[in-house]
């Protein structure tokens, strides 16, 4: 990036840290910032900082929240817990507006290749939530090898407690992600969930 003066080069470098942003797009974003007036740039920067400062992870479910516990944990049906990889999947499931229970974000999935084992995920916190009120745990991890291995691992831990464990029905194509699955498919996969 020798052709840019250093403040611009630094800004472009920041934008390239975002997903799907290559050098060209980063350059367009940087010039757009330079086109904005001071108030607009301040508003932009302040929003970034405020978001990071005000959005936390719920201490119960691990979802993004401004309050702790989050609104979902406060008001929804606690007899059914939907286990997901992370908070982005909560958003995807909330968008279909059908699930009335609460969530549990694992913070990832089991992955021996990346040295991610049970202790690296919020599995202990999940087990601690499983009191007599809990009737069903839906494991809605992505239909990848790691996601399915995680679902089986959780089923082995939870079923002996007398709690029904289910997973999303086939329909979400193998290897794809819940986050990017369309509403109709996801809604059907939830409705037709099967016991593990
Ligand atoms: Zn919560």
């Amino acid at each position: 990036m020798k052709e840019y003066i250093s403040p611009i080069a630094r800004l472009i470098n920041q934008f390239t840290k975002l997903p799907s942003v290559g050098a060209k797009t980063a350059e367009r974003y940087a010039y757009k910032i330079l086109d904005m007036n001071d108030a607009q740039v301040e508003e932009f920067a302040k929003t970034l900082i405020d978001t990071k400062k005000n959005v936390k992870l719920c201490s119960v479910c691990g979802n993004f929240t401004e309050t702790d516990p989050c609104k979902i944990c406060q008001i929804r049906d606690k007899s059914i817990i939907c286990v997901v990889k992370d908070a982005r999947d909560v958003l995807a499931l909330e968008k279909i507006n059908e699930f009335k229970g609460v969530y549990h974000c694992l913070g990832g999935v089991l992955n021996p290749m990346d040295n991610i084992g049970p202790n690296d995920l919020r599995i202990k916190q999940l087990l601690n939530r499983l009191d007599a009120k809990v009737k069903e745990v839906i494991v809605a991890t992505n239909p990848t090898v790691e996601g399915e291995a995680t679902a089986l691992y959780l089923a082995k831990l939870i079923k002996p407690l007398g709690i029904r464990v289910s997973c999303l029905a086939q329909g979400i194509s193998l290897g794809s992600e819940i986050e990017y699955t369309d509403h109709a498919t996801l809604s059907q996969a939830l409705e037709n969930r099967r016991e593990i």
Side-chain angles (χ1 to χ4, degrees):
M1 283 198 245
K2 271 183 188 135
E3 66 266 39
Y4 303 112
I5 57 172
S6 88
I8 298 178
R10 284 209 303 273
L11 184 55
I12 290 173
N13 184 43
Q14 292 301 326
F15 282 126
T16 57
K17 293 175 182 171
L18 298 173
S20 311
V21 176
K24 265 202 174 135
T25 304
E27 185 191 73
R28 278 214 325 272
Y29 288 172
Y31 284 124
K32 179 65 195 173
I33 298 285
L34 289 169
D35 282 341
M36 290 180 181
N37 64 36
D38 288 356
Q40 288 170 321
V41 174
E42 264 166 43
E43 175 68 23
F44 195 99
K46 194 174 169 304
T47 306
L48 287 179
I49 293 165
D50 285 352
T51 304
K52 189 62 190 165
K53 201 157 56 184
N54 297 329
V55 179
K56 308 280 178 220
L57 294 180
C58 172
S59 61
V60 180
C61 73
N63 187 19
F64 291 132
T65 182
E66 282 184 280
T67 59
D68 194 17
C70 73
K71 285 213 177 87
I72 294 175
C73 284
Q74 283 179 41
I75 59 167
R76 296 250 291 252
D77 177 7
K78 292 180 181 60
S79 69
I80 176 162
I81 300 177
C82 181
V83 177
V84 292
K85 179 164 86 16
D86 58 36
R88 275 169 294 204
D89 293 331
V90 172
L91 200 66
L93 284 155
E94 281 299 284
K95 277 185 188 160
I96 64 172
N97 202 21
E98 266 171 39
F99 180 64
K100 304 298 177 214
V102 290
Y103 293 94
H104 189 89
C105 302
L106 291 173
V109 285
L110 295 175
N111 191 340
M113 302 289 275
D114 288 341
N115 278 323
I116 299 173
N119 292 332
D120 300 308
L121 305 176
R122 299 178 68 252
I123 291 177
K124 208 181 277 172
Q125 290 92 328
L126 172 64
L127 298 176
N128 287 340
R129 292 177 70 183
L130 302 179
D131 57 23
K133 274 176 280 172
V134 180
K135 301 281 177 267
E136 182 180 357
V137 171
I138 304 172
V139 186
T141 45
N142 291 321
T144 57
V145 174
E146 295 81 15
E148 286 180 351
T150 306
L152 288 175
Y153 179 84
L154 292 176
K156 260 189 202 154
L157 289 176
I158 298 168
K159 279 175 76 168
L161 306 173
I163 297 169
R164 179 187 149 98
V165 181
S166 58
C167 65
L168 297 183
Q170 306 289 337
I172 301 173
S173 49
L174 200 70
S176 69
E177 297 191 18
I178 288 165
E179 196 186 338
Y180 304 112
T181 303
D182 66 89
H183 289 198
T185 307
L186 193 53
S187 165
Q188 221 163 45
L190 183 66
E191 198 183 306
N192 301 328
R193 63 183 180 272
R194 58 186 164 84
E195 199 160 342
I196 302 176

